Amino acid sequence: MDQTKLVSLVAVLALAACATAPSPERSGIADEQVLATLRASFHKKGQADLDRLQQDDVQKLCSEYRDGKPPADVARNIQDSQIETIKYPADGRYLGDWKAGEKVAQSGVGKQYSDDPSVVAGGNCYACHELTKHEIAYGTIGPSLYHFGRDRGFTLSMEKYVYGKVYNSEAYLACTNMPRFGHMGILTEQQIKDVVALLMDPKSPVNQ
């Protein structure tokens, strides 16, 4: 590879995580070259294994649309396929303990190479959402969740929707930035129930 192409490849890799990253077609670098360089430079560390470089079908499809906005028919196919993956609680109950859910939402521990894999992972929800008016700082990648249940109604159907959205967000919005917490095994069933309670329990600080 000549110097010009090498510099271009490095630039593509550096921007790989950004929504504005140049496509291989525009940069002159093929997907195969990018993946080969990633595989050659990524090494197992802690719980971060090489399987993290393998995209599933949804991730591969969404990667084809670098603005995160697939055509309507593609988006519908993704959502239809992903809604089938949601495993709802066998007991038919979606509401857990909002206090436990608050701990899940405020915890960013889990799945990083430096984390202890035996420690239960958190949801890191505050990194993308506003949850209460008492938070000092929160992310704005996702919408504010303040007054979530209060504004939408404390109904069983809404509880089920929230459970499904946390379990696999791709079932409701194709190519979303939100992790598929249940589908990818990040959160347990009970943890998801607790997060549902944080958003849907009238006593939760989210709804005060």
Side-chain angles (χ1 to χ4, degrees):
M1 183 181 293
D2 60 35
Q3 188 65 27
T4 301
K5 285 189 175 181
L6 179 60
V7 171
S8 181
L9 177 57
V10 171
V12 171
L13 293 175
L15 294 172
C18 301
T20 56
S23 70
E25 292 75 15
R26 292 196 296 270
S27 66
I29 305 298
D31 282 340
E32 292 75 15
Q33 290 176 277
V34 175
L35 291 174
T37 301
L38 284 172
R39 293 190 183 103
S41 61
F42 190 92
H43 303 283
K44 174 178 171 59
K45 189 171 184 180
Q47 62 178 312
D49 212 336
L50 296 177
D51 60 355
R52 296 193 177 190
L53 298 179
Q54 304 300 320
Q55 292 184 313
D56 66 15
D57 291 341
V58 171
Q59 292 168 327
K60 288 178 182 178
L61 189 55
C62 288
S63 291
E64 295 181 15
Y65 305 96
R66 298 177 190 279
D67 60 356
K69 297 178 181 178
D73 59 331
V74 174
R76 173 52 57 190
N77 287 337
I78 290 174
Q79 292 170 195
D80 288 346
S81 70
Q82 293 302 287
I83 204 163
E84 295 297 325
T85 73
I86 299 175
K87 297 178 181 178
Y88 293 102
D91 62 7
R93 298 180 181 180
Y94 310 106
L95 215 61
D97 179 355
W98 72 257
K99 293 181 180 179
E102 188 171 38
K103 292 179 181 178
V104 173
Q106 298 296 333
S107 172
V109 174
K111 306 302 181 181
Q112 300 177 87
Y113 77 88
S114 55
D115 291 331
D116 181 350
S118 67
V119 175
V120 177
N124 205 27
C125 305
Y126 73 94
C128 296
H129 302 280
E130 176 189 26
L131 294 169
T132 75
K133 288 300 181 182
H134 301 295
E135 292 182 306
I136 297 175
Y138 52 84
T140 56
I141 295 175
S144 171
L145 300 178
Y146 185 55
H147 281 178
F148 185 92
R150 182 172 169 179
D151 290 344
R152 293 163 179 77
F154 302 110
T155 64
L156 183 63
S157 61
M158 183 55 63
E159 290 176 9
K160 183 177 181 179
Y161 164 78
V162 176
Y163 186 95
K165 184 67 180 281
V166 176
Y167 189 97
N168 189 343
S169 55
E170 294 284 355
Y172 300 91
L173 180 61
C175 301
T176 176
N177 289 320
M178 184 173 172
R180 293 173 286 174
F181 288 104
H183 182 74
M184 302 303 291
I186 301 170
L187 299 180
T188 65
E189 178 182 293
Q190 185 58 52
Q191 284 181 302
I192 297 176
K193 284 185 174 185
D194 293 338
V195 172
V196 174
L198 178 65
L199 298 178
M200 292 298 299
D201 192 319
K203 297 179 181 178
S204 164
V206 168
N207 294 307
Q208 300 308 306

